[in-house]
């Protein structure tokens, strides 16, 4: 006989791009039932009103964010909220027995002083924050499996860290030389109306932004420091490109052993990610494109060595809304519930 019970889950902040990706993926997940959608600006409206393409299959109402109601109905709660809001409700949900996965930056930092410095928010939930686990499964799979609170990584850090992790963990590079050049589609900035995201502004153009001060910088530095075993400062520059989905991160670093060649690095990366079903290391001379990952939870990684400069170049491509956001959160949920890590997640992207 099969199972009769599915795990009830809810989403707070269901009307944004991250929230609607969660809805789509959770509706197809065989072990969960989506029972609650919460928000503040769309209370009383159905999800189909906001996203008509979902009206025939996921036409749940947007409800007020009442923590007692959420905890009574849900075992698992995804918080898909702007930075600075999740920490105000996560402690109560945890106290009431819910598992919580936060897609904002609120629970990504082990040191709240770093969070306050970069996000300008004073916090009073230190005892809760210290229990959070950084939700990058390829690095922290065992910790995630035991956690009640997950701080899901940002999309830029996901692409960047997956490119850097084998190099830092194996001591293959001079850590201080690492440079990340990353490019994102416009959906990474959310659904809010912003001048720089208008078609007339973003199309036929590419632009760097927040140079030297992007909020994902300390998140990347925190995990890189953990991998390297000492505190690191990383140069990270993000760019906006005229596409909807996808992130391409190109990482440069000086190798400790200039005698290593491309195939050596590919072997090392393949071994490092041998138990990671969502990482695909490209064959020699193949470099990934964002379109390959579009609509999937996959991360494609290409590796090259430049013998003239003694540098390694790693290219990482993900869908920012799936592996960089909603899909990765569900990947973490699968680990927390002791389910197969690939359950309910798209294994192939949309192509072309």
């Amino acid at each position: 006989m099969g199972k009769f019970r599915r795990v009830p889950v809810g989403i707070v902040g269901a009307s944004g791009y991250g929230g609607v990706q969660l809805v789509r993926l959770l509706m197809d997940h065989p072990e969960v039932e989506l029972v609650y959608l919460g928000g503040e600006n769309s209370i009383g409206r159905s999800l189909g009103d906001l996203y008509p393409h979902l009206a025939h299959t996921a036409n749940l109402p947007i409800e007020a964010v009442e923590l007692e109601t959420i905890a009574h109905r849900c075992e698992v709660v995804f918080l898909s909220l702007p930075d600075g809001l999740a920490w105000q409700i996560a402690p109560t949900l945890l106290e009431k027995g819910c598992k919580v996965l936060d897609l904002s930056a609120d629970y990504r930092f082990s040191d709240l002083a770093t969070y306050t410095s970069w996000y300008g928010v004073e916090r009073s939930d230190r005892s809760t924050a210290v229990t959070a686990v950084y939700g990058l499964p390829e690095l922290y799979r065992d910790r995630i499996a035991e956690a009640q609170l997950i701080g899901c990584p940002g999309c830029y850090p996901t692409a960047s860290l997956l490119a850097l992790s084998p190099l830092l963990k194996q001591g293959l590079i001079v850590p201080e030389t690492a440079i990340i050049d990353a490019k994102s589609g416009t959906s990474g900035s959310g659904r809010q109306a912003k001048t720089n995201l208008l078609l007339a502004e973003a199309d036929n153009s590419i632009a760097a932004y927040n140079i030297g001060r992007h909020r994902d910088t300390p998140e990347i530095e925190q995990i890189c420091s953990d991998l390297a075993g000492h505190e690191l400062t990383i140069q990270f520059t993000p760019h906006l490109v005229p596409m909807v989905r996808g992130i391409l991160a190109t990482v440069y670093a000086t190798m400790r052993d200039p005698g290593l060649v491309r195939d050596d690095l590919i072997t090392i990366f393949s071994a490092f990610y041998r138990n990671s079903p969502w990482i695909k290391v490209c064959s020699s001379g193949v470099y990934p494109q964002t379109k390959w990952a579009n609509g999937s939870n996959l991360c494609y990684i290409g590796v090259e060595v430049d013998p003239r400069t003694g540098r390694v170049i790693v290219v990482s491509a993900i869908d920012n809304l799936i592996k960089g956001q909603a899909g990765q959160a569900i990947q973490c949920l699968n680990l927390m519930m002791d389910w197969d890590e690939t359950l309910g997640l798209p294994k192939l992207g949309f192509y072309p």
Side-chain angles (χ1 to χ4, degrees), residues 173-248:
I173 59 172
V174 180
E176 292 76 14
T177 66
I179 295 174
I180 303 167
D181 180 298
K183 299 169 178 65
S184 173
T186 59
S187 62
S189 295
R191 208 185 189 199
Q192 307 94 325
K194 299 177 182 177
T195 300
N196 69 310
L197 301 181
L198 294 171
L199 179 64
E201 301 284 339
D203 197 26
N204 295 313
S205 182
I206 181 170
Y209 64 100
N210 289 347
I211 298 175
R213 55 188 174 86
H214 194 281
R215 285 176 168 179
D216 284 347
T217 303
E219 181 183 340
I220 294 169
E221 290 178 342
Q222 172 185 251
I223 305 304
C224 286
S225 298
D226 180 40
L227 292 168
H230 63 275
E231 190 168 339
L232 288 180
T233 299
I234 300 291
Q235 194 75 62
F236 166 64
T237 303
H239 302 74
L240 184 70
V241 296
M243 63 185 185
V244 175
R245 306 172 80 111
I247 282 182
L248 189 80

Side-chain angles (χ1 to χ4, degrees), residues 173-336:
I173 59 172
V174 180
E176 292 76 14
T177 66
I179 295 174
I180 303 167
D181 180 298
K183 299 169 178 65
S184 173
T186 59
S187 62
S189 295
R191 208 185 189 199
Q192 307 94 325
K194 299 177 182 177
T195 300
N196 69 310
L197 301 181
L198 294 171
L199 179 64
E201 301 284 339
D203 197 26
N204 295 313
S205 182
I206 181 170
Y209 64 100
N210 289 347
I211 298 175
R213 55 188 174 86
H214 194 281
R215 285 176 168 179
D216 284 347
T217 303
E219 181 183 340
I220 294 169
E221 290 178 342
Q222 172 185 251
I223 305 304
C224 286
S225 298
D226 180 40
L227 292 168
H230 63 275
E231 190 168 339
L232 288 180
T233 299
I234 300 291
Q235 194 75 62
F236 166 64
T237 303
H239 302 74
L240 184 70
V241 296
M243 63 185 185
V244 175
R245 306 172 80 111
I247 282 182
L248 189 80
T250 305
V251 174
Y252 306 87
T254 299
M255 293 189 298
R256 290 191 187 277
D257 180 359
L260 291 175
V261 298
R262 177 174 62 192
D263 288 348
D264 296 328
L265 272 296
I266 289 175
T267 299
I268 291 168
F269 269 73
S270 298
F272 188 88
Y273 288 122
R274 64 186 178 279
N275 295 318
S276 298
W278 296 112
I279 307 298
K280 303 302 176 187
V281 179
C282 298
S283 57
S284 184
V286 177
Y287 314 112
Q289 304 173 22
T290 55
K291 187 178 286 291
W292 297 358
N294 192 352
S296 81
N297 196 55
L298 293 167
C299 173
Y300 290 91
I301 294 177
V303 185
E304 186 56 88
V305 170
D306 186 344
R308 298 182 314 108
T309 62
R311 294 191 184 100
V312 57
I313 302 99
V314 185
V315 183
S316 169
I318 64 170
D319 183 322
N320 59 296
L321 296 176
I322 307 296
K323 180 57 176 166
Q325 195 169 18
Q328 183 148 262
I330 293 172
Q331 188 181 347
C332 289
L333 172 64
N334 288 339
L335 292 169
M336 296 168 79

Side-chain angles (χ1 to χ4, degrees), residues 77 79 81 86 100-108 149-152:
V77 183
L79 304 180
L81 295 164
V100 176
L101 297 102
D102 174 29
L103 277 68
S104 79
D106 288 13
Y107 288 106
R108 296 173 188 167
L149 172 62
I150 301 295
C152 297

Side-chain angles (χ1 to χ4, degrees), residues 25-245:
L25 297 174
L26 291 170
M27 290 294 294
D28 288 336
H29 197 294
E31 296 288 352
V32 307
E33 180 182 3
L34 188 58
V35 299
Y36 168 86
L37 301 178
E40 292 294 344
N41 298 325
S42 306
I43 296 173
R45 300 182 67 185
S46 71
L47 191 64
D49 288 338
L50 303 174
Y51 293 98
H53 72 287
L54 294 175
H56 69 289
T57 186
N59 207 20
L60 295 170
I62 306 295
E63 303 180 46
V65 181
E66 300 287 349
L67 300 188
E68 288 284 350
T69 299
I70 298 170
H72 177 71
R73 284 160 55 181
C74 304
E75 287 185 27
V76 177
V77 183
F78 293 88
L79 304 180
S80 185
L81 295 164
D83 301 325
L85 298 179
W87 73 269
Q88 301 177 42
I89 63 178
T92 300
L93 292 173
L94 292 163
E95 288 170 7
K96 295 182 179 298
C98 297
K99 294 181 186 292
V100 176
L101 297 102
D102 174 29
L103 277 68
S104 79
D106 288 13
Y107 288 106
R108 296 173 188 167
F109 294 92
S110 56
D111 182 1
L112 287 187
T114 301
Y115 176 89
T116 298
S117 174
W118 284 80
Y119 289 83
V121 176
E122 293 287 345
R123 302 268 291 272
S124 59
D125 63 328
R126 187 171 302 277
S127 61
T128 300
V130 297
T131 69
V133 173
Y134 191 72
L136 191 59
E138 289 74 21
L139 295 184
Y140 303 113
R141 187 175 283 107
D142 292 342
R143 297 185 202 175
I144 292 168
E146 302 297 325
Q148 295 295 113
L149 172 62
I150 301 295
C152 297
C155 50
Y156 276 130
T158 295
S160 302
L161 291 169
L162 291 174
L164 269 171
S165 292
L167 302 175
L168 290 169
K169 191 70 173 178
Q170 305 294 343
L172 298 172
I173 59 172
V174 180
E176 292 76 14
T177 66
I179 295 174
I180 303 167
D181 180 298
K183 299 169 178 65
S184 173
T186 59
S187 62
S189 295
R191 208 185 189 199
Q192 307 94 325
K194 299 177 182 177
T195 300
N196 69 310
L197 301 181
L198 294 171
L199 179 64
E201 301 284 339
D203 197 26
N204 295 313
S205 182
I206 181 170
Y209 64 100
N210 289 347
I211 298 175
R213 55 188 174 86
H214 194 281
R215 285 176 168 179
D216 284 347
T217 303
E219 181 183 340
I220 294 169
E221 290 178 342
Q222 172 185 251
I223 305 304
C224 286
S225 298
D226 180 40
L227 292 168
H230 63 275
E231 190 168 339
L232 288 180
T233 299
I234 300 291
Q235 194 75 62
F236 166 64
T237 303
H239 302 74
L240 184 70
V241 296
M243 63 185 185
V244 175
R245 306 172 80 111

